[in-house]
Amino acid sequence: MSNSQEFDVLIVGSGLAGLSAALHLAPTHRVAVLTKRAMSDGSSGWAQGGIAAVLGEGDTFASHVDDTLVAGAGLSDPEATRFVVEHAPESIAWLRELGVPFSEEDGQLHLTREGGHSARRIVHVTDATGAAVQRTMIEHVRRTPNITLLEHHTLVDLITGKKRGMPVNRCLGLYALDESTDEVVTFRAPHTILATGGAGKVYLYTTNPDTATGDGIAAAWRAGCRVTNMEFIQFHPTCLYHPSVKSYLITEAVRGEGGRLLLPQSAGGTRFMPQHDARAELAPRDIVARAIDFEMKKHGIDCVYLDISHQPEAFVKEHFPNIYARCLELGIDITKQPIPVVPAAHYTCGGIHTDLNARTDLTGLHAIGETAYTGLHGANRLASNSLVECMVFARSVATDIMATPLPLPPEVPGWDDSRVTDADESVVISHNWDELRRFMWDYVGIVRTNKRLERALHRIALLQREIHEFYANFHVTRDLLELRNLVLVAELIVRSAQARHESRGLHFSRDYPEAMPNPLPTTLVP
Ligand SMILES: Cc1cc2nc3c(=O)[nH]c(=O)nc-3n(C[C@H](O)[C@H](O)[C@H](O)COP(=O)(O)OP(=O)(O)OC[C@H]3O[C@@H](n4cnc5c(N)ncnc54)[C@H](O)[C@@H]3O)c2cc1C
């Protein structure tokens, strides 16, 4: 394969955002989808709960908008919210046309309910929605001749006119590490779309897959794009707590269907959510996560319990077949026993600043999905609003690219690694990964203070020096690229958290416990 390739559109990421955009663009454009592992790796395939859309009798757009704005705690952009909510039903219709086998009841879509939603409006495929959607997408993408799939290709950096000393700054394409040859390949295209997902791996405990290292956010920042609201990291309240299992989420729908949060027997075994919020277990995620954090710290316990065993056995097995089977493998029969759970980093609400066309600050560069900040999620994300955001903005980006063609960028020089050698000390990379994730968890987690944020920033600066030295002197590897991106994203999270002198939504500071009037998003400018 040549070391330089050229397409009409480059899409980085094969999650729901990237694949939806590829399918929309393929009839008119030659599209390359680059993805750093296998096609199905990413958060999309892991989504359990479902996709929010107004489809039920009596439900209204206004109600979905209101629920989203309430969860967003004063920082969701009303225009972006209306845009997503109003386009959500057509996204579901599109997925049904593609053949996604959504769960039905009496011949109608079955709509479930989740925390923060005032109506049943979550379409789902039992409790493995993301996997079913992703499978269907991949089948279509593989059959589409205009889409070239490049697995095990990791974005290294975007190529910009500015970096190349050209008079006009625009995105010219990107460099990607091809792991099959261990070479960095140059890709050129008039349009590049970042669909690289979130950054949960910046924290020690996360529900996210290993791909979620914030690569797109870091690359866009280095290319001169603004990022917004990076302080708002959603911690999912209920990740399975088990020594041999990493990142297994217990869906919100378990609480939606009556699941109760209990203290362990050693701490009394009682239900605690009603003392924290009138909505009890159906309160928004940030409130539930903080309540669990509070109870764990108060009682010095490692986890709390989520109990659905009071529901009939058949009901539990029918609604949560995958969670039932997975827990049973681990010796927990959820029809009879409560599930041990802890909070874990789950969703990156902020990201690359984009508009309703998914444009970033750089001509020729768009961003969609979890890597983007669209204004929808504000200070907190409403459950099941993210998959729909991926699809709505995948459609927007395609429409925008079709309406505004750009010329093919000029030739650019290939990646120069003539002066670097192979790293002899990979332990430095794995050590720094561990260190970063642990102090982000301890200092920049669910509850923050000025002192802890300062401490974190100090350590980030030390790590950045070491990582920069590695990047400048050694051949790039995926681990190194991810670490370089994670540490930059960590810096953006801390700087955003420092800029917010209040507590709001997912950002809670002991030094500023109150919410301020007239809040604004936190936008960092490179
Ligand atoms: C356990 C879990 C459950 C969830 N449940 C729900 C739910 O029920 N409903 C809901 O709405 N949302 C849910 N979410 C959130 C939702 O799944 C994600 O927000 C959404 O899937 C993001 O899609 P995406 O396409 O933006 O990113 P992803 O699906 O994460 O895809 C990102 C892609 O980018 C690739 N990539 C990343 N960096 C690079 C790089 N440097 N080079 C090349 N490729 C790269 C990855 O390999 C991957 O293919 C859940 C998330 C998790 C983790």
Side-chain angles (χ1 to χ4, degrees):
M1 193 183 278
S2 146
N3 235 4
S4 172
Q5 299 191 42
E6 175 240 296
F7 290 89
D8 297 331
V9 183
L10 302 171
I11 300 179
V12 189
S14 58
L16 184 55
L19 295 186
S20 303
L23 286 173
H24 292 317
L25 283 160
T28 48
H29 290 69
R30 285 175 311 122
V31 179
V33 176
L34 293 90
T35 192
K36 66 180 171 181
R37 297 191 178 211
M39 276 277 278
S40 53
D41 289 329
S43 290
S44 295
W46 288 25
Q48 297 173 341
I51 310 176
V54 172
L55 295 163
E57 220 171 285
D59 194 9
T60 61
F61 287 151
S63 161
H64 190 181
V65 168
D66 269 0
D67 291 344
T68 304
L69 298 182
V70 168
L75 279 185
S76 290
D77 180 278
E79 195 189 352
T81 305
R82 265 196 307 278
F83 183 75
V84 173
V85 164
E86 288 175 7
H87 287 87
E90 74 196 31
S91 299
I92 303 298
W94 180 65
L95 289 182
R96 293 186 89 186
E97 273 167 37
L98 291 182
V100 175
F102 286 115
S103 298
E104 296 187 356
E105 205 171 65
D106 305 326
Q108 303 282 328
L109 281 176
H110 178 259
L111 302 175
T112 191
R113 188 168 170 185
E114 288 189 340
H117 285 277
S118 55
R120 284 189 171 264
R121 64 168 74 104
I122 318 295
V123 294
H124 61 106
V125 183
T126 62
D127 59 353
T129 308
V133 173
Q134 184 85 344
R135 217 170 20 249
T136 308
M137 291 266 165
I138 289 175
E139 279 166 19
H140 281 272
V141 164
R142 286 202 193 280
R143 286 204 299 262
T144 306
N146 240 4
I147 302 178
T148 303
L149 292 171
L150 298 160
E151 294 181 299
H152 305 288
H153 278 67
T154 304
L155 167 70
V156 176
D157 245 333
L158 297 165
I159 307 171
T160 66
K162 191 171 169 200
K163 284 191 205 165
R164 300 254 60 95
M166 293 175 177
V168 178
N169 195 21
R170 58 177 276 209
C171 186
L172 309 171
L174 56 87
Y175 294 117
L177 172 67
D178 174 357
E179 284 193 65
S180 67
T181 57
D182 217 15
E183 282 182 14
V184 175
V185 183
T186 308
F187 289 87
R188 220 157 35 105
H191 305 276
T192 298
I193 303 172
L194 293 172
T196 46
K201 291 295 280 188
V202 82
Y203 287 99
L204 184 61
Y205 298 117
T206 178
T207 64
N208 289 186
D210 289 343
T211 52
T213 52
D215 298 1
I217 298 171
W221 174 263
R222 286 192 293 266
C225 299
R226 287 171 298 163
V227 299
T228 294
N229 277 359
M230 288 302 293
E231 68 272 39
F232 297 113
I233 302 290
Q234 185 171 61
F235 288 82
H236 195 287
T238 55
C239 191
L240 179 68
Y241 178 73
H242 192 277
S244 64
V245 178
K246 186 169 83 167
S247 311
Y248 189 72
L249 177 117
I250 307 296
T251 170
E252 202 99 44
V254 174
R255 286 185 282 122
E257 297 297 346
R260 294 174 191 151
L261 282 161
L262 307 176
L263 291 172
Q265 287 305 329
S266 61
T270 48
R271 188 174 173 209
F272 56 85
M273 273 314 298
Q275 291 125 53
H276 290 270
D277 193 284
R279 290 161 289 186
E281 280 82 359
L282 289 179
R285 285 181 176 166
D286 58 322
I287 294 175
V288 179
R290 250 194 330 273
I292 297 175
D293 192 57
F294 175 87
E295 297 291 343
M296 284 173 60
K297 291 196 167 114
K298 178 175 160 195
H299 296 282
I301 48 182
D302 292 333
C303 67
V304 296
Y305 288 85
L306 180 59
D307 189 15
I308 188 82
S309 64
H310 50 279
Q311 295 284 24
E313 187 172 328
F315 176 92
V316 173
K317 285 183 180 166
E318 187 200 336
H319 279 77
F320 308 110
N322 291 292
I323 295 177
Y324 170 74
R326 185 75 183 105
C327 288
L328 202 60
E329 278 168 20
L330 300 166
I332 307 162
D333 180 351
I334 70 168
T335 65
K336 300 189 174 62
Q337 292 165 275
I339 312 165
V341 291
V342 280
H346 184 55
Y347 187 81
T348 313
C349 288
I352 306 161
H353 197 99
T354 55
D355 63 13
L356 292 185
N357 291 313
R359 290 186 187 184
T360 69
D361 292 335
L362 186 64
T363 304
L365 182 69
H366 290 81
I368 50 173
E370 194 169 338
T371 198
Y373 162 83
T374 64
L376 175 70
H377 305 302
N380 195 358
R381 176 188 72 125
L382 185 62
S384 290
N385 260 359
S386 38
L387 291 174
V388 69
E389 185 193 39
C390 289
M391 283 187 297
V392 169
F393 283 97
R395 173 78 73 182
S396 293
V397 84
T399 308
D400 192 44
I401 286 175
M402 287 176 198
T404 47
L406 291 170
L408 182 69
E411 292 279 355
V412 292
W415 182 255
D416 179 12
D417 62 359
S418 55
R419 280 163 305 178
V420 298
T421 57
D422 283 328
D424 51 355
E425 297 258 323
S426 321
V427 66
V428 177
I429 295 175
S430 57
H431 176 90
N432 285 348
W433 257 87
D434 293 346
E435 190 181 331
L436 175 72
R437 299 182 66 206
R438 179 161 286 282
F439 73 66
M440 285 300 287
W441 181 260
D442 289 340
Y443 299 159
V444 198
I446 297 176
V447 175
R448 297 158 180 179
T449 68
N450 288 341
K451 247 203 190 112
R452 289 187 202 161
L453 293 177
E454 264 169 43
R455 261 191 204 132
L457 204 57
H458 178 66
R459 279 167 173 74
I460 286 169
L462 294 175
L463 287 183
Q464 273 172 336
R465 272 205 292 280
E466 265 184 41
I467 294 162
H468 179 73
E469 206 179 299
F470 243 74
Y471 185 74
N473 294 314
F474 299 117
H475 284 296
V476 290
T477 60
R478 192 181 64 211
D479 273 357
L480 173 60
L481 294 171
E482 290 179 340
L483 176 62
R484 173 176 178 249
N485 293 328
L486 275 179
V487 78
L488 176 52
V489 168
E491 182 196 333
L492 298 173
I493 294 172
V494 174
R495 283 176 49 196
S496 303
Q498 286 179 321
R500 183 162 296 283
H501 292 178
E502 62 164 353
S503 289
R504 174 177 305 279
L506 300 165
H507 174 74
F508 187 84
S509 165
R510 275 220 202 111
D511 296 304
Y512 310 106
E514 304 301 327
M516 296 209 308
N518 310 318
L520 289 172
T522 310
T523 297
L524 301 181
V525 183

